[in-house]
Amino acid sequence: MTTATANQPETVTSHLRPIDRDGLLAFAEKGRNNPAIRGTNKVHTVTEGQYRTVSHVNQHEVVVDEPLHLFGQDTAPAPGEIVLSGLGGCLAVGITAVATWKQVKLSKLEIFLEGDIGNPAAWGAGGAEMKPEDMGFQEIRVKVLVDGDASREELDEIVRHANFFSPVANTMRNPIPFSISLMD
């Protein structure tokens, strides 16, 4: 090492743990060959008491509760916060996949979500009379902090592309058939 290089600051870049690009490309090929393919997500939710629930998702558990001012125990995130968490996770997956597809290595990816939600209907338990379209999230705002070996414009395009193709974001943006019934 010469004196000149010893005085130069060393630039250290670390990247997020990558996904399998070859596997991603094979998965994309399957989708191109069969665009009507669908999977099924299954969740079993059990109420423990008050508003605390445990949802069993494969070998994982997701706990949901309500805050004290809504008569919960405040032991876990509220249902709306879990919805935003799912959206954030889906967007992160999409951004990671699109960056991998475009061969951009990400060094930081953080997603900040907030949504305006109210409950004047008190879950239908005698509160305000509301129409379904006036309940639930009325606006969701998402900010993405992303860094990688690409320009800001390229990173912005990755985020916009991932948002456009996000299954969870599109579920929230678009009406879908929904049914609920008692079990036999």
Side-chain angles (χ1 to χ4, degrees):
M1 179 184 311
T2 67
T3 306
T5 58
N7 294 329
Q8 296 292 327
E10 183 180 342
T11 302
V12 177
T13 302
S14 62
H15 295 102
L16 299 176
R17 191 172 48 256
I19 62 170
D20 174 9
R21 186 170 191 274
D22 292 336
L24 174 67
L25 296 177
F27 182 73
E29 177 73 18
K30 281 175 53 177
R32 275 194 308 279
N33 292 336
N34 186 1
I37 194 168
R38 300 286 182 269
T40 301
N41 291 341
K42 295 183 179 184
V43 176
H44 175 210
T45 301
V46 178
T47 301
E48 291 185 340
Q50 286 178 275
Y51 290 136
R52 183 180 164 91
T53 62
V54 177
S55 293
H56 302 273
V57 187
N58 300 318
Q59 72 274 18
H60 308 288
E61 290 184 341
V62 178
V63 180
V64 176
D65 200 350
E66 288 284 1
L68 297 173
H69 74 277
L70 293 177
F71 321 108
Q73 301 170 75
D74 200 21
T75 61
E81 294 163 334
I82 296 292
V83 168
L84 290 178
S85 175
L87 173 60
C90 188
L91 290 170
V93 165
I95 292 165
T96 300
V98 174
T100 300
W101 173 52
K102 292 182 173 280
Q103 297 184 315
V104 171
K105 292 180 181 171
L106 299 179
S107 53
K108 178 182 276 194
L109 177 56
E110 297 180 24
I111 301 176
F112 300 85
L113 304 99
E114 55 183 34
D116 300 331
I117 191 171
N119 190 13
W123 305 283
E129 288 296 319
M130 306 285 291
K131 296 181 286 186
E133 61 269 18
D134 295 327
M135 294 182 285
F137 284 111
Q138 298 300 299
E139 184 178 347
I140 295 174
R141 294 169 299 283
V142 180
K143 295 288 186 181
V144 179
L145 178 60
V146 63
D147 196 11
D149 61 358
S151 70
R152 181 170 173 88
E153 293 76 22
E154 291 170 306
L155 293 170
D156 184 57
E157 172 54 30
I158 289 169
V159 169
R160 284 188 285 116
H161 194 85
N163 175 45
F164 183 83
F165 286 98
S166 166
V168 174
N170 283 308
T171 298
M172 296 172 83
R173 280 192 285 263
N174 303 310
I176 60 167
F178 183 96
S179 64
I180 184 168
S181 62
L182 295 179
M183 290 191 70
D184 295 328

